[in-house]
Structures are given as C-alpha cells and as structure tokens.
Amino acid sequence: MNVNAATLVLFLFFFFRISEGISQKKTSTNLVYVDKKGVLRYHSSNAEASFFGVNYTTPFAHAYRAHLKLGIDPEQAIRNDVYHFARLGLDAFRVHIWDTEISDSAGNLLNNEHLRLYDYLLAELKKRGIKTIITPIAFWGNGYPEPDDPTPGFSRYFGRGKLTTNDTAIRAQGNFMQQLFRHVNPYTKLSYENDKDIIAVELNNEPSHSDPKKNVTDYINRLAQAVKSTGWTKPVFYNIAQGPYFSDAVAASVVDGFSFQWYPTALVGNQTLKGNSLMHVDTYRIPFRDTVTAFSNRALMVYEFDAADIMGSYMYPAMAKAFRSAGFQWATQFAYDPMAIANVNTEYQTHYLNLAYTPSKAISMLIASEAFHQLPRLKNFGTYPADSSFDIFRVSYDNSLSEMNSPEKFYYSNTTSTNPANNKQLKNIAGVGNSPVVQYDGTGAYFIDKVSEGVWRLEVMPDVIYIRDPFERASPKKEVTAINWTTHEMELKLDNLGEGFSIKGMNDGNTFTGLAKKNNFNISPGTYLLVKAGSEAKGGIDKVGSIGLSEFVAPPASKKEIIVRHQPLTEVSSGRSFRIQAIISGIDSGRVIVQLSKPGGGLFRNIPMIKKGYNYTAEVPAEIVTDGQLQYRIIAQEGGNFVSYPGAITGNPGLWDNFQTEFYKTNIAAQGSSLELYNPSTDRTVQILPNFRRGFQAAYSSGSSTGAINYKLSITGIQQNEVMGLQYFIGDKLMEREAELSGFNNLILRAGTNGNTALVVKITFINRYGAAYAATASIDDKIKDFEIPLDSFKPSDSSLLMPRPYPGFQPLYFKSPSGFPVLKPDEIEKIQITIEAGLQSSENKNYNLEIESVKLSK
C-alpha cells in the first residue's frame, strides 16, 4: 500500500466514524423515523409508534384576543388546558401556526408575543410528555370568527392564490421556514430539531394548488429543502387530501408521509345534529392507495378531525377505530376549546370539546386515545352495527356512550350498567354519571386513580349545564354552557378501598377531611386522597403518571341566573298524557311550574315540575289533552325572583301589571288525523345534496295555498351517477305520536316539478341502526298529493350519508346492515327525498323538484 492509498484509507475511516457520530447525535433528538415500508417507528426500540391528541390555538388569532379581552393571562390558560390534555391521556399536539402573525412580507420571523406563547405552550406540553408536529404555514387570516387584523405576514401580503405559484412568495416561505427552524425556544433552550418531543413537520396546513402538476411537486420540494437546510432530520409530511386532483404530484415529492383530515358530518350545521351518525364513521377511505403508485411506503397522519355539531359522546372511539383500520399513526382533533372561553364556544362554533364544559365528549376522547394506541393498525373490525363493540371498547348511540373495560382501566362517557372486567385489578376509573363502581348524580367528570395499595386519588369536576345549543351562531355575549360548584353524594365500590375509607382534600384551599359511611360520602369539586381504613398513604409519592396528587383545574362558577332551555313538542296524540321537559340553571331550593291554558279559554292549570339534577319534568294528564292546542309558560321561582319562559321575562307573572303574552304551543292531533313529517314553512334544518356545485340551487318558493311554502331543488346538467336531494330528521315527530304509529299506512308527498319534465322521486326512510327502506313515485308538473303505501317501502341496499362527509372522497353511501327486513315506524329517524339520474327515463338533464309537505296518513 503506498502512502497516498494509506492516507486515503485513514481519511475514509475517520470520515465515516465522524459521520456515524454525527448521525447518532442527530438521531438522539429524533424520537421516531419512517421505515422503508412507510411505518412510523420509535428509534429506541423500532416498535410502531402512535399518537393521539388535539389542536389548540390559545397563542394565536381569536383565542389569543379573547383571553386578553377577558383579562386572562394566556400563560396560565395554557397551563390549565395542558393539564387537562394530560388528564385525558392525550399525547399529541398540532396546530397550524398563524404565520401571518409571526412573519413579515419577506418571510422574516417576528419574535413577538404569539411566537413566545407558542414556545411556552411547547415547553408546557413537553413537561407532560405530549409530542408535537409543527405545521409552520396556514395561509389563513387571523380573524375568524371576527374580521381579520391587518397582519404583517407574507400570507396576507401575497394572498392565498399566489402563495404556491409566485416565486417571490415561495422564497418568503422558505426564508420563514429557515428562520423558524433555526430559532431556539427560550423556555426549553432547544431548537425544534433538537427537541425530542417535537417529532415531525407538516409543511403546510391546507395548501391551494393549481396546474401544472410539476410546479406542485417543485413547491413541496422547495419547502422541504428549506426546512432540511437548517439541519432538520425528522419526518416531513404534506397534505394530500386537500386537493385530491394533485395527489400524484404530492406523492412525487420528497416527503416522508401524507396528512389527511376528516369531518364525517361536514361542518357548520348551525345546530346540534340529531340522529345516529355512527354510519358516517364506519370507515375511512383512502383512494390514493389504488390510484397513485408513489403513494405507498409513506407514513400517514390525520392533522384534523371532529364529529362536528354533535354533542353525543359516542363518536370519537369509532373514529379512532376507523383511523387505525386505515393505517394512521397520528390523529389530532380540531379543536380543543380553551377553558377560559369554552362557556361561549366562540372559537369554532361547529366544534366543541373541553373537559370542564363537555365532560362526556372529553371522556370519549380519553377512550378514543386508548383505542388509537391499543388497536392494531390495518385491522378490519367489520361494519356498523356489528362493529359497535371492538376489542375492549364499545360505543352506543342509544346510550350516548363510549366505554373501555379492561382489567386495569374502566372508562365510560355516560351512565353504564356494564360491570368492570376485574374490580380487584382496577387502577384507573374515569367517567360521567353512574356505573356499578361509582354512583354520582353530579354532571361533571370524575377520575379515580390508584396511587398505591389502598390509596387512591379522586378528582371531581364541577357540574355542567347545557343552557343553549352550542352550535348555533356564537357570541361572547351568549353563554351556552354554565358551570355550577355544588356538593353531591358519591358511592364508591372498590375492592382495594373497601368501606369506611378516609377522605382528604389535596388541591389548594381544599381543607376537607372526612370518613365514608360504608361506601358513601359527600363531595365537592376538587382533588382528594382516599385511604383504605387501617392503611396509610406512603410518603414520597407526589404523582400518578404525569398528574400531581394535588393538581386541580376547573373554571369558576357561572353567574347565578335562571335560564330555561326547552323545546316544545310540535304535536301530541289526543287523549294521551305527555311530558314537558326542560333544562334549568340557577335554581337551588326554588320551584318551577308549568302554567297550562288553551287558546280561547276553558282550561287553566299549574303543574309542578319534578327536578332531577338540572332536568325538570311535568306530566300533562290525559284528561286535558283534548282536540285543539295547548299553550303554556314555564315559571321558575327562586326566593322572591321569578322568571317566565318563553322570553326570559322577570317579575311575578301573577301580578295585575304583568303583560307577558308569549307561550309555548303544542298541537293536539285529532283521532285519525295525519302526521306531518316535513313542512318547509317551519322545518328549516334540512341537509341537501349536492353541497357546492354550479348549476344547483336550493330555495324557498310560494306554495299552492295561502301560507304554504315549498322547498325547491334545481339542478342543470346532472351526471349519470349524480344525486340531488334532501334529508330531514323526523324521529322526534314520530315519537310525539308513537302510540299511533302502527295505524298509519300511507305516505303523502305533496310535490311537483313546476312545469318541468315528470320525475321519478326516491323516498328513503332510515332507521336508527342505518337500515334503509325505499320506494319511488312518479311526480308530474303540478303540485299535488302523491300517495305511497308504507308497505311498498322495501329494504334498500344503501342510503346517502348526509350531511356529506368531508373530504369528498369519503363514502357517500352507507350499505344497509342485514337483520332489518321490515320497516318499523318507531325505529325510523330520517327521511331522504332524492332525484337520481339513473332512475329517469327522459334524456333531459335539468331537473326541478318542489316539495310542499310530507305526511303519514291512516
């Protein structure tokens, strides 16, 4: 070997040794990597990784401004909310950075309050072991739901349309990326690359692309290179779901994985959606596996998801199951409401999730997190309703329930009769309502965690009262959920705790001490240490996982005021008793009555309402439910204060100068009368299809008689597989006259085509389990009644999923389950009225349909 060769060998030896050292140093700050098959794995063990959590926005935009307007320290708010993330077992955080607030038009990073608070949030998450994916670019303004501020950033300067095409705009984004990823968090003293709890980057939140496709790939690669030029070695993700047309261009880029979103019940329904939505989350479809060759071998994440406009606590574990079946390893709900503003739900009115304000949904998220971590990836769990129970998990629409039941963990989002798998082995309990282990009549969540043998930590949240629909138009002036701090009795049956255990308050200011009477004790919101009789709490233990023994976070009690939430029944059966129900806040020891009368006189009666928690019920006796109409007021009294509803009118309604003339009204159906299912004059909460399409219009028009209103659907150029139609929830109207349902034998559709070609209309009933029953009717140009016998409704292969799931490549139809061969009116929840191009005999592609009413007749 000559000298030059020897020198070269030594050089290469030391070069690779040094390179290996650098590589090891780099990977020491990388928690995970993407293997050759596209699986996200831990560096330390090569085991598959999975992360589940939330988006959260307090450092930015509306949430930031709202905290300041309330005089609330954003740092304290962040600490409070991050504690609740940990309490719910979440280990993932993601939010699109509002780049418009922390950059200038050239992409220079602004070291301002928003960036500082974001770094503070990352540091607090790190303390709890919660991992982060950085999404540095959003393109959005910072206003919603308010007007945008005149922010200095490149997104506002260039506008959404230029940001992925204009070279100067792309350079600004690259500059911003480089400065952001070289930036050092002042709280952790680490760059994002060197922080092990920051595991990946998602380059852009929801990009807007345009042809040519090659430029799309180039744009993505330029952003990826900008990040990697800072020394970034962690996985890089990019959104492939926002623009499916560009999926092949995205897949052709250098990224390590793809991000998706899921809003299976659409967004911004402006009301709480009624009916079973589990059919919407039965599966998550990824079409690119079959259509884009380069899609394979990339990791998959869900950057945003939610069951929007739903208050039921049964959806999240089903969504987690669908995600795991599709192969996802990261999922973050959008968006967790900051506790300080969750009482008004102004941040994103279509979303509502917070431990204090939506306790059942929050416990459902806890269970979903467990499911996401425990369920195997790519396993098929069957179809609804057979997949309602999977592994150790269960969801129930009927009971608005999510449940996890393992030997060590027993979690339930609502009252359950399920016995724990093994009481003796239990270590963690979390729930709302009652179970065989816990009896509790408060409405907040509670957590019971084993500290050591015979020693348990109990955490009890204050009561929550849903006083308004949280998904209606939001305002900081309109509280939708109230908080009440009060004392309730609790019964706790734990084999490891026994009877007569001691109770000691642990959180700041909680001086309570006491003994259980057998298994029963009174408890107020706070954190407590429960110790078995004859045992002692061992010293030196100050945490259960990442939860401190004395930690407790809850909002203050709401202002004391009487608020009544009530929806009157539209129509009831003559000669049958019925119940008037309401949710009422602000009453401690007072009374509530229903004051009934009939228009024109002849009846005046006061009926006391019976209280159970915050739910009040009055039974209207059958002898006064006679033909005509009942009108009534709900009058609440606390001490000398009176409030009457509707109208929230204060003052004693019995005084001579009270001028209230507002009443709730319920019609009484005469024997043999029809049952109205849909009336466009009053029923304004239909869902329609298509959602957004040129050539489609939905509008109200004048009906065939005075006071009648038609709902008109029009479409031009309908395609062969396209559908136009509407869906309406009718389950409540059917239940109002449940005793008569077996007597109805015809459906009467009053409709016409308004001078257009005759159409074949499909009418579909959908029951609470997703089974569909369909019939057709030929509708001509005149508005008139079309009679369809109920026995002509036969089981249908499928029904439409409405509102339309997003993104649009998700299934539009749900296949009817077997086992429901006969239409049962008492099981029906929804009706769909549709025009399908494939059913029409005419070659005309322009259709009109006007509906004036839908009824059942005898």
Side-chain angles (χ1 to χ4, degrees), residues 73-114:
D73 176 14
E75 288 188 14
Q76 183 61 56
I78 287 169
R79 290 194 296 273
N80 290 344
D81 290 325
V82 170
Y83 169 69
H84 283 166
F85 298 168
R87 181 66 279 188
L88 292 173
L90 307 177
D91 64 349
F93 162 75
R94 176 264 183 205
V95 74
H96 51 69
I97 292 174
W98 270 263
D99 54 90
T100 193
E101 291 188 318
I102 64 169
S103 70
D104 65 15
S105 61
N108 293 308
L109 183 67
L110 302 182
N111 195 359
N112 59 18
E113 185 71 355
H114 299 292

Side-chain angles (χ1 to χ4, degrees), residues 246-283:
F246 296 102
S247 58
D248 54 344
V250 174
S253 71
V254 298
V255 298
D256 304 296
F258 304 122
S259 60
F260 293 76
Q261 73 278 69
W262 199 17
Y263 294 116
T265 53
L267 292 168
V268 196
N270 293 306
Q271 60 169 333
T272 298
L273 293 179
K274 297 178 181 179
N276 188 357
S277 293
L278 283 171
M279 294 78 77
H280 288 244
V281 295
D282 203 45
T283 185

Side-chain angles (χ1 to χ4, degrees), residues 468-487:
R468 296 181 179 93
D469 189 336
F471 303 118
E472 295 174 347
R473 187 177 179 89
S475 168
K477 301 174 185 177
K478 183 183 74 171
E479 189 172 48
V480 298
T481 306
I483 294 292
N484 187 34
W485 286 59
T486 189
T487 300

